[in-house]
Amino acid sequence: EAGVAQSPRYKIIEKRQSVAFWCNPISGHATLYWYQQILGQGPKLLIQFQNNGVVDDSQLPKDRFSAERLKGVDSTLKIQPAKLEDSAVYLCASSVGGNQPQHFGDGTRLSIL
Amino acid sequence: SQQGEEDPQALSIQEGENATMNCSYKTSINNLQWYRQNSGRGLVHLILIRSNEREKHSGRLRVTLDTSKKSSSLLITASRAADTASYFCATLPQGGSEKLVFGKGTKLTVNP
């Protein structure tokens, strides 16, 4: 079984620029999650999709972050414009749904200069 | 907000020793999960324990849950250098939410 794929693995941009991350979940997993993990902390949920509908985006800074999951499969997360405090690892995870374990990709490490 | 708090924040042991990590949380839960994260990698699910369970085993892992104290522990027996990683507890609150809430993690170093 192929795991959760994310790209790019690393990204360096200047503040106020825009950036996008891509995630391909495990085939058949209806639920997709985007997390932000700041160095030394646990992941914080940004947004959760069930198929292509948003279940929870209460912690997504909507003035600068956006996410979509077209056709209920792949997903993209965008930041525009980026701030210094957005430096973090962005993790994508998927699950079959409900309270089942989540499967994580290796993340995108974002550095803002 | 982070509900789970792991203790200790860092733990260094010798190969072959046992490692115990603790997690405390604040609200009622549906289940509690433990994840491992190797440096530069994503999280890997280790074990899930439901609120009506008290103990669960998986290989060298043993997890206990005390809902009256709102705490859990993860025991790794006969540790190996390959167990070096950060370990996170994550709680699924009661009430229908599917939102896992992670703690800050315990960084375990197993010295060969």
Side-chain angles (χ1 to χ4, degrees):
Chain A
E1 175 183 79
V4 175
Q6 288 190 248
S7 68
R9 286 282 281 129
Y10 305 93
K11 190 74 179 178
I12 301 173
I13 62 173
E14 295 187 348
K15 59 183 179 184
R16 291 188 288 274
Q17 286 187 324
S18 63
V19 64
F21 314 124
W22 173 82
C23 173
N24 181 237
I26 292 173
S27 177
H29 281 193
T31 309
L32 185 147
Y33 312 81
W34 282 102
Y35 289 89
Q36 180 191 60
Q37 185 177 25
I38 291 172
L39 188 66
Q41 297 188 20
K44 182 183 86 170
L45 180 69
L46 293 176
I47 188 166
Q48 176 183 340
F49 292 94
Q50 179 77 15
N51 296 309
N52 61 347
V54 175
V55 173
D56 188 325
D57 63 357
S58 57
Q59 297 190 100
L60 187 73
K62 298 181 188 63
D63 58 333
R64 299 183 299 106
F65 286 64
S66 64
E68 60 182 9
R69 190 184 185 197
L70 299 176
K71 300 180 183 178
V73 182
D74 293 6
S75 177
T76 56
L77 176 69
K78 296 178 181 177
I79 307 175
Q80 182 179 16
K83 292 185 175 180
L84 293 175
E85 68 233 40
D86 300 331
S87 292
V89 175
Y90 291 86
L91 296 163
C92 178
S94 69
S95 77
V96 295
N99 58 4
Q100 298 305 305
Q102 297 180 19
H103 300 259
F104 284 77
D106 284 338
T108 296
R109 183 175 296 276
L110 175 66
S111 297
I112 312 292
L113 304 178
Chain B
S1 63
Q2 297 190 302
Q3 149 140 271
E5 288 287 337
E6 289 91 341
D7 170 60
Q9 290 188 345
L11 180 62
S12 182
I13 60 174
Q14 296 300 122
E15 220 168 15
E17 294 180 338
N18 295 342
T20 300
M21 288 159 268
N22 303 296
C23 169
S24 60
Y25 57 92
K26 295 173 186 163
T27 63
S28 296
I29 60 171
N30 181 302
N31 68 51
L32 184 145
Q33 304 176 30
W34 285 91
Y35 288 80
R36 183 187 75 228
Q37 185 176 36
N38 290 85
S39 181
R41 304 298 300 273
L43 282 76
V44 174
H45 179 261
L46 295 176
I47 200 162
L48 180 155
I49 186 164
R50 293 181 173 78
S51 59
N52 61 352
E53 297 175 312
R54 291 298 166 256
E55 189 170 311
K56 213 160 179 183
H57 297 256
S58 176
R60 294 183 296 112
L61 306 181
R62 173 178 168 251
V63 168
T64 61
L65 178 65
D66 186 336
T67 53
S68 67
K69 295 181 179 177
K70 290 187 169 59
S71 67
S72 173
S73 67
L74 170 67
L75 169 67
I76 304 174
T77 59
S79 63
R80 306 165 181 168
D83 295 327
T84 294
S86 291
Y87 291 81
F88 295 90
C89 72
T91 52
L92 190 73
Q94 274 188 355
S97 167
E98 296 178 9
K99 182 173 157 180
L100 268 186
V101 182
F102 287 84
K104 293 184 178 180
T106 292
K107 189 176 175 72
L108 173 67
T109 303
V110 181
N111 301 299

